[in-house]
Amino acid sequence: MRDRKIRHISFYTGIIETMGYDPLRAILEVKLLNDGKIRRYEDVPEEIWYHLRETYHPDNYFRRYVCGRFSETILPKEEEE
């Protein structure tokens, strides 16, 4: 279960290309447009995922409620595919 891939949905905004969430592990993954790297955030409450998906300004929500608030890991290329 630890190695299970998180399914991403396309989410083209000013900075976000795709996003995915695993509610069992409380992991949020976000692929940014500027560098194409996937960032993984751990211990993210499910409500953050719902708000991020549904908000009118996801870029602002991402910067305000995710960046710097949760542990961030940039995934190596082999884990992205």
Side-chain angles (χ1 to χ4, degrees):
M1 175 132 131
R2 179 106 176 116
D3 296 341
R4 190 175 83 185
K5 300 282 185 211
I6 295 175
R7 190 175 135 255
H8 283 225
I9 57 174
S10 295
F11 212 88
Y12 297 98
T13 68
I15 64 169
I16 299 170
E17 183 177 341
T18 66
M19 295 188 299
Y21 184 74
D22 182 339
L24 297 177
R25 297 183 291 163
I27 293 175
L28 172 68
E29 290 184 351
V30 178
K31 183 175 185 179
L32 299 183
L33 285 169
N34 66 344
D35 62 7
K37 295 180 181 175
I38 296 177
R39 283 145 173 84
R40 176 176 282 175
Y41 301 92
E42 297 185 14
D43 300 320
V44 177
E46 199 165 359
E47 67 186 46
I48 297 284
W49 165 243
Y50 289 123
H51 288 293
L52 182 58
R53 276 192 356 208
E54 303 298 327
T55 187
Y56 189 68
H57 298 288
D59 295 339
N60 292 341
Y61 191 90
F62 173 69
R63 284 189 208 117
R64 177 175 278 166
Y65 296 104
V66 177
C67 292
R69 295 183 181 258
F70 299 98
S71 172
E72 177 185 275
T73 304
I74 297 177
L75 297 184
K77 279 288 190 192
E78 60 271 7
E79 286 189 46
E80 291 182 13
E81 299 159 359

